[in-house]
Amino acid sequence: MNNKPRYTIVVPCYNEEGGLHELHRRLCQVMDQTGETWEMVLVNDGSGDRTPEIIRELRASDPRVKMIDFARNFGHQLAVTAGLDYAQGDAVVMIDADLQDPPQLILEMIDRWKEGYEVVYAVRSQRKGESWFKEFTAKLFYRIIFRITDVDIPLDTGDFRLMDRKAVDATRQMRERHRFLRGMTSWVGFRQTGVYYVREERFAGETHYPFRKMFKFALDAITGFSYLPLQLATYLGFGIAGLSALAALAVVFARLFMGATPFYGQATTLVVVLFLGGIQLITLGIIGEYLGRIYDEVKGRPLYIVRETIGFDEPSRQDATHSGESS
Ligand code: UDP
Ligand code: MG
């Protein structure tokens, strides 16, 4: 406790055996320029490859490397959460293991932090080596979130950011299960600013965010920060009721003055019924999305299960028992 490092670098790792040595080398190169103490917290998120062995190897030659070993795969957001729970630094940097976030940028973040900013997030001014589809959906995603939520989530930022101890502790108090960390770290407030960078290609391996996971992540973000989808039923209800009142008037008018109705046959009826049925199912589904998340919160299960930690002198101080609970 007395020799707490100045900086903590939190790295979620899921099947990253190919890039960890390089990541460690690049981080050392960058962090040693600060002339201050630092630690590197690698969270092994239930990898199926040699990731944990490689972390142990790294630790054998560099005691600043620490590991949190998850009992299974809990996902990126929870891996980072565990890292924040165990981090001891005055400033904590979250960075991906695949070197898509350039470590050099950390120095710039530290400069801004020393100027007094409490959250310094990295904004991607450009992405390299990703399909147009990923780029397009990511752009669209950020713009939708930005529009419909009431927190100022900066456009095109990932989880790569530096946080002051105060912001880390504030974020750690939010124990929700379905996490959208970049929204949560912005929700806490404090003085925030951005630094710009070009997103690199992955150093090794492949993305673990296929479309399916991205979609789920987007739903977590939206449900976590907006009630708008729930209100959709109300708006649609008013809209459709208004339209049908107009339609009723039109039918009466046509009958009285034109001697005919403009609607024919069963097909019209069928289309209208199916349309309404569809809308009702969609709004039920939306309620279901929220309900499922409420159920998950109510169960109050731990956010993640740790098999073992390596390198932390006082695991009890980390609040490991409390950190797993939702209250
Ligand atoms: N990751 C993780 N658990 C997962 C999926 C990913 O800890 O279930 C980590 C992964 O090792 C990487 C980071 O989260 O350090 C970002 O993942 P990835 O590079 O696959 O996402 P992308 O950059 O393609 O959005
Ligand atoms: Mg990546």
Side-chain angles (χ1 to χ4, degrees):
M1 206 162 171
N2 26 13
N3 45 10
K4 271 199 291 184
R6 180 96 157 127
Y7 303 108
T8 301
I9 315 288
V10 169
V11 192
C13 307
Y14 178 56
N15 295 347
E16 298 286 1
E17 59 180 5
L20 283 182
H21 277 287
E22 178 67 11
L23 175 80
H24 177 253
R25 196 184 64 74
R26 297 262 300 268
L27 275 176
C28 287
Q29 209 178 46
V30 167
M31 293 309 291
D32 288 344
Q33 291 176 42
T34 61
E36 289 169 296
T37 52
W38 58 283
E39 63 176 357
M40 181 173 173
V41 176
L42 293 157
V43 185
N44 174 37
D45 186 12
S47 302
D49 65 358
R50 291 191 60 249
T51 300
E53 285 78 43
I54 290 178
I55 298 177
R56 279 169 215 270
E57 267 168 49
L58 288 173
R59 169 151 179 92
S61 63
D62 182 355
R64 294 172 300 191
V65 173
K66 302 172 182 183
M67 166 155 86
I68 303 170
D69 193 17
F70 274 7
R72 65 167 169 86
N73 178 256
F74 280 90
H76 175 209
Q77 299 287 302
L78 290 170
V80 176
T81 302
L84 291 182
D85 289 341
Y86 282 78
Q88 293 189 299
D90 297 330
V92 179
V93 176
M94 328 189 223
I95 188 170
D96 282 358
D98 55 9
L99 287 166
Q100 280 193 295
D101 306 328
Q104 315 76 279
L105 202 67
I106 296 176
L107 293 176
E108 209 178 317
M109 292 178 166
I110 289 177
D111 286 343
R112 310 312 297 276
W113 175 59
K114 289 186 171 162
E115 284 166 20
Y117 288 100
E118 287 139 328
V119 177
V120 186
Y121 49 85
V123 187
R124 306 158 182 158
S125 47
Q126 201 189 325
R127 285 166 173 258
K128 272 193 206 162
E130 280 177 307
S131 66
W132 67 268
F133 181 71
K134 172 131 190 177
E135 180 156 352
F136 173 76
T137 46
K139 277 235 149 82
L140 187 72
F141 168 64
Y142 287 110
R143 271 141 195 91
I144 291 176
I145 302 283
F146 191 72
R147 282 212 88 118
I148 71 172
T149 58
D150 21 73
V151 257
D152 272 333
I153 300 167
L155 284 174
D156 300 318
T157 61
D159 287 324
F160 185 25
R161 61 189 58 217
L162 177 148
M163 291 165 78
D164 182 76
R165 171 57 40 198
K166 288 196 280 290
V168 171
D169 287 341
T171 308
R172 284 188 55 206
Q173 288 177 36
M174 304 164 81
R175 303 310 296 179
E176 60 218 59
R177 284 211 63 75
H178 297 274
R179 319 197 122 224
F180 182 56
L181 274 169
R182 52 201 86 158
M184 293 162 62
T185 54
S186 132
W187 183 88
V188 296
F190 295 110
R191 279 186 292 273
Q192 310 219 353
T193 188
V195 288
Y196 290 81
Y197 76 109
V198 175
R199 190 149 170 90
E200 299 290 338
E201 287 180 43
R202 245 178 179 279
F203 181 75
E206 281 182 14
T207 176
H208 306 109
Y209 269 98
F211 183 71
R212 184 180 47 81
K213 266 201 199 167
M214 286 273 288
F215 187 71
K216 201 190 147 284
F217 188 50
L219 281 182
D220 283 342
I222 293 170
T223 53
F225 287 92
S226 171
Y227 297 134
L228 192 76
L230 284 174
Q231 294 159 341
L232 209 65
T234 321
Y235 300 141
L236 279 172
F238 274 112
I240 293 175
L243 275 181
S244 47
L246 286 182
L249 284 180
V251 171
V252 170
F253 182 85
R255 260 284 160 84
L256 288 182
F257 301 106
M258 292 160 30
T261 97
F263 304 111
Y264 303 100
Q266 286 185 340
T268 325
T269 322
L270 200 63
V271 168
V272 169
V273 167
L274 287 178
F275 175 73
L276 280 182
I279 295 223
Q280 281 169 347
L281 286 178
I282 291 172
T283 49
L284 266 183
I286 292 176
I287 297 174
E289 290 292 334
Y290 283 86
L291 188 67
R293 284 170 173 78
I294 295 172
Y295 183 44
D296 277 344
E297 296 299 344
V298 170
K299 281 190 284 194
R301 290 186 185 167
L303 291 183
Y304 52 82
I305 307 284
V306 174
R307 173 186 294 123
E308 172 187 23
T309 62
I310 299 178
F312 300 94
D313 6 294
E314 300 164 76
S316 55
R317 193 206 80 86
Q318 315 298 343
D319 231 356
T321 42
H322 164 258
S323 70
E325 284 163 19
S326 59
S327 55

